[in-house]
Amino acid sequence: MSSGSRSRLRRAAPYGGVLLLGLIAFLLPQVSPTSFVLSLATTALIYAIAAAGLGFLWGQSGQLSLAHAAVFGIGAYTAAVCAKQLGLSFAASLPISAGVGLVAGALVALPSLRTSGHYFVILTFAVSEVISVVEMRWESLTGGVNGVTTLPGAQTLFGLRLAGRADYYSIVVIFAVVVFLVLCLLMRSRWGILLRSMRENPDLSTSLGINVPINRVIVFALSGAIAALAGQLYLYHVKSIAPEAFMSNLSIVFLLVVLLGGKSYLLGPAAGAIIYVFLPEYIGLSPVRSQIAFGVILVVMILTAPDGVLSLIGRLRERLRGPRTEAGA
Amino acid sequence: MNPLLRTQMLTKHFAGIRAVGPVDFTATSGEIVGIIGPNGCGKTTFFNVVSGFMKPTAGQVFWEGQDIVGVPAHRRARLGMVRTFQERMVFPGTPVRENLQTALIQYGASDIGDEAVTAALDYVGLPHQVIDQMAGHLSWGECRLLGMALGLVLKPKILLLDEPFAGLNRVGAERVTSTLRRLRGDGIGAVIVEHEMDLLLPLCDRVVVLANGEVLAEGTSQEILQREDVRTVYFGGDPVARDQ
């Protein structure tokens, strides 16, 4: 094989990987059609999409947000308002939810124009709390503490029924594949290179002419749009939402999901979400024990594999390859 | 020749304490200007203010005759005034290839492939083998050279170098020196803040001495070395007389 075709193959591999995993996920209803498994898998995929937005933000641009769950919630509430008060279909609500998430993400990023590091993370936490209070108090729009209920009715998308468990799972798989392909494209683009430079050394990036604050706002906006899209998918999955579902502890869950999988890896959030959703169910842990278990797992991961479980595959591959020898030795 | 970069009464205070100024300074393309002075005399602060990383308390910075005090740092870089840093010179967690690709993208290069990257490595004398290495794994000297390469890829009109010889061994220092000579040949100006007099002075067309934030002296390297007041401030007196 020539070096040109090898390089083209290497470039195409991540896209092929996403499509292959998408195909495997798509076939799940054929292998394990139980409602329980499909419901868990749908939740895992929705978390994977939301966490992918956070993973891109954190892993690529080095920005951490504790308001991600709040933006996820904004997406869910926007979709609920579109459905209940405006009578819009799932498909018609999608661009609106994503657009509102985009704006919300950009607004969350605005303090980053004046501050950075730990202070900025604390500010995103404060923003998240404010959004939660608004969701609780703005009863005419959000239903207050009781939340809202939305039933998809007889709607279809891509010829699939939103109300059907297996069909809705397939819809979520399609969205997950599209989101991961888009993020893959962005990570490997020129913009992706500039984002990583900002993550590594913002001052040097500035000295090379990169407008760091504007790029931060853009990447936050993108991450917000993805979170809001996941929020809409979540609403149509659980059909009923309330403000306490989107408080900052969910942001911590997304953070955990990203850390578990590996923030530098495209598929890290997907791996993390699958572990987070399936592990407690299959070991049979209660919610409280599950929280304790993930606390312990997080500590162990940070100490032994801070780059997430996907980094273990690379380590294993290196170990199997054996110690490196000097050329010619 | 009209100066590319000019400062007029440039002043920077921190909490009421004057760190720099008032400083009148000029630099032009193809010229190497050294800025020397004892520790804490305001050299790096002067760089920070000129390059837009800090706002001046008073005074102006002119670029090709235009006042650029309100122009943010990233836009100054796009105008052709690129700076390097003393410590954090590279993007440590990405490969050398991606470091240079960042600069190539900012330059607007259509080709950011390995050919363009190795050409940048050649310019500063870095071996091609480092291309896949994480920049954070390079030696200090290689980081310095990569930092210079990042700035040079942008084809600046003036490069502001903050202590380019600091911590380098003889081989590294020679590479930096030859890169700087090449730079002058290519019509690129350089303003260099440095402590290593032996390495800096032979390179400079002009030297500016800062003391307590102000310009104490300005002239050729020979003129500066002969100034009694410079020797007093910089070396604590005439080193020859002191030794006797």
Side-chain angles (χ1 to χ4, degrees), chain A residues 153-325:
Chain A
Q155 289 184 58
T156 59
L157 192 73
F158 315 125
L160 297 160
R161 289 175 312 111
L162 261 66
R165 180 76 71 194
D167 278 11
Y168 191 67
Y169 166 76
S170 301
I171 289 170
V172 175
V173 170
I174 293 168
F175 276 104
V177 168
V178 171
V179 166
F180 278 97
L181 284 177
V182 168
L183 290 180
C184 184
L185 197 73
L186 291 174
M187 277 169 81
R188 300 165 76 80
S189 70
R190 288 179 170 225
W191 188 52
I193 292 175
L194 298 186
L195 288 183
R196 286 188 288 279
S197 81
M198 284 164 41
R199 174 194 72 194
E200 290 297 313
N201 191 341
D203 282 345
L204 182 58
S205 301
T206 302
S207 79
L208 295 179
I210 299 171
N211 189 339
V212 173
I214 290 298
N215 278 291
R216 277 186 182 155
V217 172
I218 294 171
V219 73
F220 257 95
L222 172 75
S223 160
I226 293 170
L229 168 76
Q232 171 159 348
L233 292 171
Y234 180 75
L235 169 76
Y236 279 83
H237 175 46
V238 296
K239 300 181 180 72
S240 172
I241 51 168
E244 76 257 12
F246 309 114
M247 295 181 82
S248 46
N249 56 346
L250 183 63
S251 282
I252 304 292
V253 167
F254 289 147
L255 215 68
L256 174 72
V257 162
V258 174
L259 265 174
L260 272 177
K263 66 179 161 58
S264 309
Y265 298 92
L266 171 70
L267 292 171
I274 290 167
I275 296 169
Y276 180 80
V277 173
F278 279 92
L279 192 68
E281 296 297 336
Y282 277 87
I283 312 178
L285 290 177
S286 67
V288 174
R289 286 189 175 170
S290 154
Q291 279 188 7
I292 296 168
F294 277 113
V296 174
I297 289 172
L298 189 60
V299 172
V300 173
M301 287 292 298
I302 287 171
L303 292 175
T304 59
D307 294 328
V309 288
L310 292 190
S311 70
L312 298 176
I313 298 171
R315 279 203 220 166
L316 186 70
R317 203 189 304 151
E318 271 181 24
R319 189 167 291 183
L320 291 175
R321 227 184 265 157
R324 280 189 192 167
T325 53

Side-chain angles (χ1 to χ4, degrees), chain A residues 98-177:
Chain A
V100 172
L102 188 104
V103 174
L107 290 174
V108 169
L110 284 183
S112 76
L113 301 178
R114 299 206 47 96
T115 185
S116 60
H118 304 315
Y119 294 107
F120 175 68
V121 177
I122 293 166
L123 266 173
T124 63
F125 174 74
V127 169
S128 164
E129 292 302 298
V130 169
I131 292 171
S132 293
V133 171
V134 171
E135 284 168 354
M136 269 188 254
R137 296 291 171 90
W138 198 350
E139 288 189 14
S140 60
L141 200 70
T142 66
V145 287
N146 298 320
V148 281
T149 303
T150 298
L151 295 170
Q155 289 184 58
T156 59
L157 192 73
F158 315 125
L160 297 160
R161 289 175 312 111
L162 261 66
R165 180 76 71 194
D167 278 11
Y168 191 67
Y169 166 76
S170 301
I171 289 170
V172 175
V173 170
I174 293 168
F175 276 104
V177 168

Side-chain angles (χ1 to χ4, degrees), chain B:
Chain B
M1 188 185 280
N2 284 333
L4 258 179
L5 171 67
R6 182 166 70 88
T7 71
Q8 190 177 310
M9 303 294 280
L10 195 67
T11 309
K12 179 67 185 173
H13 288 187
F14 293 110
I17 297 165
R18 183 169 53 86
V20 170
V23 171
D24 290 342
F25 174 87
T26 60
T28 192
S29 50
E31 180 190 34
I32 297 183
V33 184
I35 300 180
I36 62 170
N39 280 334
C41 71
K43 301 185 295 287
T44 298
T45 304
F46 177 70
F47 254 30
N48 286 338
V49 176
V50 167
S51 57
F53 280 81
M54 282 179 185
K55 284 186 180 152
T57 308
Q60 274 98 41
V61 180
F62 294 96
W63 180 258
E64 295 182 316
Q66 300 287 314
D67 187 354
I68 56 164
V69 160
V71 175
H74 72 275
R75 281 189 45 211
R76 293 189 197 196
R78 290 180 196 170
L79 290 172
M81 185 206 303
V82 175
R83 71 164 292 180
T84 66
F85 294 86
Q86 256 181 56
E87 299 285 336
R88 289 166 54 81
M89 310 160 264
V90 296
F91 304 113
T94 59
V96 169
R97 175 188 286 107
E98 199 166 303
N99 269 254
L100 288 163
Q101 283 175 332
T102 303
L104 285 163
I105 292 166
Q106 282 307 107
Y107 177 61
S110 55
D111 174 24
I112 59 165
D114 281 0
E115 210 170 305
V117 171
T118 50
L121 290 175
D122 287 340
Y123 196 96
V124 294
L126 275 172
H128 293 185
Q129 294 94 297
V130 300
I131 196 166
D132 287 317
Q133 273 188 45
M134 284 289 170
H137 295 169
L138 296 178
S139 70
W140 181 260
E142 286 171 331
C143 275
R144 277 256 175 263
L145 290 166
L146 179 59
M148 280 181 76
L150 291 177
L152 289 168
V153 163
L154 295 175
K155 302 213 175 2
K157 292 174 182 167
I158 285 185
L159 190 61
L160 308 178
L161 295 155
D162 200 350
E163 301 200 14
F165 295 108
L168 293 186
N169 60 17
R170 190 181 54 80
V171 177
E174 276 171 9
R175 280 190 189 163
V176 170
T177 303
S178 64
T179 304
L180 287 171
R181 288 193 202 284
R182 243 181 116 175
L183 199 131
R184 176 164 37 199
D186 291 347
I188 298 170
V191 181
I192 309 171
V193 161
E194 188 52 69
H195 280 294
E196 300 284 346
M197 295 300 141
D198 297 349
L199 295 166
L200 178 72
L201 294 184
L203 277 171
C204 292
D205 299 302
R206 203 152 47 84
V207 178
V208 174
V209 185
L210 287 185
N212 298 320
E214 293 179 335
V215 176
L216 175 72
E218 187 173 348
T220 63
S221 301
Q222 279 307 314
E223 287 165 353
I224 291 297
L225 280 172
Q226 285 162 9
R227 291 271 299 249
E228 186 65 35
D229 51 354
V230 172
R231 287 204 297 252
T232 305
V233 164
Y234 210 88
F235 304 109
D238 182 341
V240 179
R242 197 182 55 211
D243 290 346
Q244 287 167 353

